[in-house]
Structure formats: structure tokens, C-alpha cells
């Protein structure tokens, strides 16, 4: 059971979604029968969400009946849309793919038992192939899409380009390139997880991932700077890059076994990592996210080196998130949720839960007290999301009896004529035809979670009804 819930925590770190029922989940449910929640179902719905976010040609294995081909002439087709919008950011695609890959590496057997390994691998490869396409050798494509259009027009991805041409007079979306240590390091990290996951089952594909990972990292390390990424800064403003190099170097060590990557960590990166405010002590507060992967790097470095100093350093982070360390402790809501800040509170909590599960399995095997403490912390976080709170409210859309009924997601909203406020009308000039391609009951919550690339995701794992019906009028939360 723990392996299922740990795998789910990896999946929802940045994206999450919905799913139609498949027989394999029944088997998963049998083993988790002693729990209040069906973790196999949650994993399945999470995979569905990644498929909802797909851009480009719809793969044959995509189970979202109301999605179709879209943006097929992007400079780099494929990849995941950002949040409930239609921009594509390489940074968040890479961050999310790395966590997906890490989750599969750690808990692949749990994914297998849930009957979701093939679907998981398909979704992971879909993102990694996009990252390969964004690597141009001398620079990277860091963003695709026109933000000024994307955030003023509301409709589905399938009709997006028709509207774009009508309103902008152009038939292709713009793309933006740069060299950037943070983005390239995160791409390298993600591709390393792809190599490690596929090196036995798909050796040629794995070799391609590793080749790009090594080159991307080498360029990122040589540059050691944030790039000219002006187009994405209104949405994602990168503030650090040594944490990304540290994180990626650990993945390169795991993929290649070459000591030089750990030497770079020791000699070049660690001294440049974040510090506690007004202190020389390495940072242990805050949480892992798209702009700060330091804690993931610390955990990997502790695992890779076996050095007790780094085990202790990561322990500080988990203590901060549980009972406190050094006079500092994360805020807890009256209902028991560790709350970092207002943007994507569940994103940060579930990411830390995943890191806690990994640490329990990799660092604290011989420490019963820590194993118990951190496992209970992670379980509480995940179960809170599934409905174990005073309101019995599920933040996993489609699970339980009470979950969010309004969401920020253009493609699934049912809008077909730019007027999302008129969704559900059946009379008048704005009457909405019963097109099943855009009326599925699915949505991303106003605060979105951790693992579509999302700016502030909460867990949003919807359920696709067996019969898709007309969307009802709803006020979608805006940014």
C-alpha cells in the first residue's frame, strides 16, 4: 500500500488529472481494501491528467476521449500544456518529468501492481521526447506560445489555432530560445531518470536520453547563469541555478557512475547553495518546487555519498516540515495540513511527502523512530488530499463524494466560442451545442498541484463520466 501512495505523491507533484475506469485498478483496490482510499484509482486518475495536458498529435494510447490533435505545427510538437492554459514551458515540463521518472524508479513495483506501468511509461516518454526536441544543441527552446493571446482567449486546444489565425493573422505559434543553466540542468535530470527507467526495456531510447542529458548538463555547467528568458518571466521567473546543477549532477552520477559529477557537487556547487536567512547554514526550510530543487538534490547527494552529514542535513528539512528544527517549523492549519504559502499549498505538501517516503526507504531503514514519524507525516498529507480532513472534502477531483466543482482549465471547460461564462446555455445566440469533444466533466483546481507543469497546483485528479454530458455554467477561477 505504501508503495502505491508513494508513487501517487510523485505523480501529483506537479500535474494531476482524471481517468476512466480500467480493470487493473480493481486489483489495486483489493490490496488497499484495508485503507479508506483506493490509491490505485488515484494513481490511475493522475495518469489521465497528464494525457489531458498533451499537445500535438494525440497518441493512440491516450484514453481521453474528448481530446484530439492540436498545435501540430508547433516548432517542437508535443509536450504538456501549462496548467489550464495552452502555453508550453520547458522548465516545468522538465521538472515534472524528473519527478515522474524518480517516482517510477523508486516505486515501479507498486505502479506495476496497480496495473499502471505501461500508462506511466507512456506518459513519461511523451514528456521526455519533447525535452529532446527542445534541445537544439547550441541552445534550447524554452517556451512555445503567445502569452498575450493565450491568456485572453478561452476555448479548447483543438480549436485554438483556428482562433489564433483569425485573431492574430498567423498560422504558427511563436517559440523562444536561450541558453539557461537552470532549465538545461532540469532537462538533464529528467532525461537521466528516463535513461535509468528505460535502459533495459528500450536501450536505444535510453541511450538517446542519456546523450542529451550529458550534453545539456555540460553546457549548463559551462554557462553557470540564468539565461535571457524574458518571454516566460511573467509566468515563471527563475531565481537560482546552482540548485539545479547540484540536482542534475546527482542524477548524472546515478546514470553514468562517473565520480566527476559528485566532485562538481563537492567542489563547486555546495558552497553556492541556498542558506538560511541571515545565516551561513545551508537552507533546510521552504520546499522543493520548479524554482528550487535544492532539497531533492540534498536527498540524492545523501543517498549517493552515504555521508551522514548529508543525511543529517536532509533530516533538518523533514524536521522543519514535521515537529520543527532550530526554532523553525512550517505552519500547520487547524485541520493539520502543513502549509508553506498560498500558492499551491498542496503542491508543496505532497512534494515533501514524496521526499519523505524516499528518505524513509533510502536513508532511515535502520531508524524505526524516523521511519515511523516521516511515514506517518507523508500518509497524513496524502490522505488529507483524498478527504481525510474535517470537511471530508477531496482535493482529488472525481474521488469521493465532495470535491471541487469549478476549475481553471480551458480545454475541458466546454467553451467553444470564447465565452466561458456562457457554458451550459441551451438557448439564444450563445447556445452551446452538445459537442462531446469539449464538454467532459474535468477540471484543474484553482490552486493546482505539484507534478502539469503548474505554477501553483493542488492535487486535481478528476473522473471522466462514462457518459459525457453538457458542461454546466461555472465560474472558473482566474489568476
Amino acid at each position: 500500500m505504501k508503495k502505491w501512495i508513494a508513487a501517487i505523491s510523485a505523480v501529483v507533484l506537479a500535474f494531476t488529472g482524471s481517468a476512466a475506469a480500467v480493470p487493473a485498478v480493481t486489483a489495486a483496490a483489493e490490496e488497499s481494501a484495508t485503507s479508506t482510499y483506493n490509491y490505485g484509482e488515484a494513481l490511475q486518475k493522475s495518469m489521465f491528467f497528464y494525457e489531458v495536458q498533451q499537445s500535438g498529435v494525440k497518441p493512440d494510447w491516450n484514453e481521453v476521449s474528448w481530446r484530439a490533435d492540436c498545435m501540430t505545427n508547433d516548432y517542437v510538437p508535443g509536450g504538456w500544456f501549462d496548467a489550464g492554459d495552452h502555453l508550453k514551458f520547458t522548465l516545468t515540463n522538465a521538472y515534472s518529468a524528473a519527478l515522474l521518472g524518480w517516482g517510477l524508479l523508486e516505486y515501479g513495483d507498486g505502479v506495476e501492481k496497480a496495473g499502471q506501468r505501461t500508462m506511466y511509461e507512456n506518459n513519461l516518454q511523451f514528456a521526455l521526447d519533447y525535452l529532446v526536441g527542445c534541445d537544439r544543441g547550441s541552445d534550447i527552446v524554452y517556451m512555445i506560445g503567445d502569452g498575450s493571446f493565450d491568456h485572453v482567449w478561452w476555448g479548447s486546444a483543438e480549436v485554438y489555432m483556428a482562433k489564433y489565425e483569425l485573431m492574430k493573422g498567423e498560422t504558427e505559434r511563436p517559440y523562444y530560445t536561450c541558453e539557461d543553466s537552470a532549465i538545461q540542468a532540469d532537462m538533464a535530470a529528467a532525461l537521466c531518470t528516463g535513461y535509468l527507467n528505460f535502459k533495459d526495456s528500450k536501450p536505444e531510447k535510453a541511450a538517446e536520453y542519456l546523450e542529451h542529458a550529458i550534453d545539456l548538463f555540460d553546457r549548463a555547467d559551462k554557462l553557470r547563469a540564468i539565461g535571457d528568458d524574458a518571454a516566460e518571466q511573467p509566468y515563471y521567473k527563475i531565481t537560482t541555478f546552482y540548485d539545479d546543477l547540484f540536482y542534475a549532477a546527482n542524477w548524472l552520477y546515478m546514470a553514468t557512475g562517473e565520480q566527476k559529477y559528485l566532485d562538481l557537487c563537492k567542489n563547486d556547487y555546495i558552497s553556492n547553495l541556498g542558506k538560511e536567512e541571515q545565516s551561513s547554514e545551508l537552507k533546510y526550510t521552504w520546499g522543493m518546487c520548479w524554482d528550487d530543487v535544492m532539497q531533492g538534490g540534498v536527498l540524492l547527494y545523501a543517498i549517493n555519498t552515504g555521508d551522514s552529514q548529508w543525511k543529517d542535513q536532509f533530516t533538518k528539512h523533514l524536521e522543519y516540515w514535521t515537529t520543527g528544527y532550530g526554532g523553525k517549523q512550517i505552519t500547520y492549519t487547524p485541520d493539520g495540513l502543513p502549509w508553506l504559502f498560498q500558492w499551491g499549498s498542496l503542491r508543496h505538501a505532497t512534494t515533501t511527502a514524496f521526499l519523505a517516503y524516499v528518505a524513509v526507504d533510502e536513508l532511515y531503514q535502520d531508524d524505526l523512530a524516523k521511519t515511523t514519524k516521516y511515514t506517518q507525516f507523508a500518509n497524513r498529507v496524502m490522505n488529507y488530499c483524498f478527504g481525510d480532513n474535517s470537511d471530508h472534502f477531496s482535493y482529488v477531483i472525481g474521488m469521493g463524494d465532495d470535491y471541487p466543482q469549478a476549475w481553471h482549465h480551458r480545454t475541458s471547460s466546454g467553451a467553444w466560442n470564447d465565452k466561458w461564462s456562457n457554458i451550459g446555455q441551451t438557448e439564444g445566440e450563445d447556445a452551446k451545442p452538445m459537442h462531446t469533444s469539449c464538454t467532459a466533466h474535468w477540471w484543474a483546481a484553482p490552486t493546482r498541484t505539484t507534478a502539469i507543469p503548474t505554477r501553483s497546483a493542488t492535487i486535481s485528479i478528476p473522473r471522466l463520466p462514462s457518459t459525457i454530458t453538457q458542461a454546466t455554467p461555472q465560474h472558473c477561477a482566474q489568476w
Side-chain angles (χ1 to χ4, degrees):
M1 183 189 304
K2 178 199 166 184
K3 292 180 179 179
W4 288 337
I5 194 171
I8 297 165
S9 68
V11 172
V12 301
L13 297 180
F15 287 110
T16 34
S18 68
V22 295
V25 174
T26 303
E30 291 175 358
E31 187 168 331
S32 61
T34 57
S35 170
T36 304
Y37 307 106
N38 184 343
Y39 300 128
E41 180 189 6
L43 178 62
Q44 178 200 41
K45 291 179 189 286
S46 298
M47 287 296 101
F48 190 90
F49 180 72
Y50 286 90
E51 294 169 33
V52 167
Q53 294 308 116
Q54 287 179 356
S55 176
V57 176
K58 179 183 175 182
D60 292 340
W61 47 265
N62 183 303
E63 295 184 339
V64 187
S65 61
W66 42 272
R67 285 301 319 277
D69 297 351
C70 63
M71 283 78 153
T72 56
N73 67 339
D74 275 351
Y75 181 77
V76 182
W80 291 317
F81 292 126
D82 181 70
D85 311 325
H86 295 123
L87 301 178
K88 297 191 298 190
F89 298 97
T90 304
L91 171 66
T92 49
N93 269 262
Y95 171 77
S96 301
L99 287 170
L100 272 182
W102 192 355
L104 187 59
L105 280 171
E106 291 286 343
Y107 303 108
D109 52 348
V111 174
E112 184 85 38
K113 290 179 180 179
Q116 291 295 296
R117 187 176 191 98
T118 297
M119 195 58 69
Y120 199 122
E121 289 181 348
N122 286 342
N123 281 284
L124 176 59
Q125 184 175 327
F126 184 87
L128 296 178
D129 287 348
Y130 178 72
L131 298 181
V132 168
C134 288
D135 180 13
R136 306 201 315 169
S138 59
D139 60 15
I140 60 168
V141 176
Y142 72 86
M143 175 181 166
I144 294 178
D146 182 342
S148 64
F149 173 80
D150 193 89
H151 282 60
V152 299
W153 179 81
W154 191 276
S156 71
E158 288 74 15
V159 300
Y160 186 102
M161 290 309 298
K163 291 290 185 179
Y164 187 73
E165 182 176 359
L166 179 66
M167 297 173 68
K168 302 283 289 190
E170 300 171 2
T171 58
E172 294 183 18
R173 302 202 296 169
Y175 66 93
Y176 305 89
T177 64
C178 72
E179 282 272 85
D180 186 289
S181 292
I183 302 174
Q184 289 169 210
D186 287 345
M187 293 170 72
L191 290 166
C192 281
T193 70
Y195 168 77
L196 292 167
N197 275 300
F198 294 117
K199 61 185 176 67
D200 295 326
S201 60
K202 299 180 179 179
E204 292 185 2
K205 176 64 69 175
E208 178 186 29
Y209 291 158
L210 184 58
E211 179 182 0
H212 280 271
I214 292 172
D215 187 56
L216 282 161
F217 178 83
D218 287 347
R219 285 151 46 200
D221 179 58
K222 181 179 180 180
L223 178 66
R224 297 193 183 185
I226 296 173
D228 182 12
D229 62 338
E232 73 176 348
Q233 289 188 15
Y235 317 99
Y236 297 99
K237 186 174 177 60
I238 298 171
T239 61
T240 62
F241 63 87
Y242 275 109
D243 58 310
D244 304 275
L245 291 171
F246 180 57
Y247 181 59
N250 276 279
W251 281 113
L252 264 297
Y253 170 75
M254 294 168 67
T256 67
E258 295 186 23
Q259 180 65 30
K260 67 179 182 179
Y261 294 110
L262 293 185
D263 291 342
L264 278 170
C265 293
K266 180 179 180 180
N267 299 327
D268 291 42
Y269 302 155
I270 289 173
S271 61
N272 289 291
L273 293 177
K275 307 295 191 299
E276 285 298 303
E277 188 173 352
Q278 297 183 334
S279 172
S280 60
E281 185 175 13
L282 282 175
K283 181 173 60 178
Y284 58 85
T285 55
W286 198 244
M288 184 167 170
C289 63
W290 59 265
D291 189 39
D292 190 342
V293 295
M294 175 177 167
Q295 300 307 327
V298 169
L299 175 55
L300 290 174
Y301 193 65
I303 294 170
N304 289 337
T305 63
D307 190 331
S308 60
Q309 172 189 349
W310 289 94
K311 177 179 179 180
D312 294 341
Q313 178 62 37
F314 187 74
T315 301
K316 295 178 184 179
H317 182 58
L318 292 185
E319 288 295 292
Y320 166 75
W321 273 82
T322 51
T323 53
Y325 176 84
K328 301 177 182 179
Q329 183 186 14
I330 194 167
T331 299
Y332 272 77
T333 69
D335 217 13
L337 175 72
W339 187 90
L340 189 62
F341 79 144
Q342 70 270 28
W343 292 114
S345 54
L346 293 186
R347 164 178 56 127
H348 287 287
T350 55
T351 303
T352 307
F354 170 69
L355 297 181
Y357 284 128
V358 174
V360 163
D361 291 335
E362 301 289 352
L363 296 182
Y364 308 124
Q365 306 97 318
D366 299 325
D367 190 327
L368 179 60
K370 284 186 173 61
T371 294
T372 302
K373 179 179 182 178
Y374 300 144
T375 299
Q376 289 178 346
F377 158 77
N379 287 348
R380 283 196 302 270
V381 166
M382 297 306 298
N383 288 336
Y384 179 99
C385 300
F386 300 146
D388 190 8
N389 50 67
S390 61
D391 292 328
H392 305 293
F393 186 82
S394 171
Y395 293 91
V396 180
I397 297 174
M399 291 189 68
D401 297 324
D402 190 12
Y403 47 80
Q405 297 299 308
W407 55 94
H408 176 110
H409 196 273
R410 285 164 167 80
T411 293
S412 66
S413 68
W416 68 283
N417 63 351
D418 305 354
K419 299 180 181 180
W420 60 268
S421 60
N422 291 326
I423 294 172
Q425 290 191 14
T426 58
E427 298 179 358
E429 64 176 319
D430 293 322
K432 180 184 175 302
M434 295 289 287
H435 292 319
T436 59
S437 63
C438 58
T439 59
H441 287 192
W442 181 91
W443 50 137
T447 51
R448 306 178 283 278
T449 97
T450 119
I452 137 189
T454 54
R455 288 187 290 282
S456 61
T458 61
I459 297 184
S460 41
I461 310 178
R463 174 168 55 209
L464 183 68
S466 57
T467 301
I468 301 178
T469 59
Q470 185 177 25
T472 55
Q474 296 171 354
H475 297 291
C476 299
Q478 301 297 304
W479 284 97

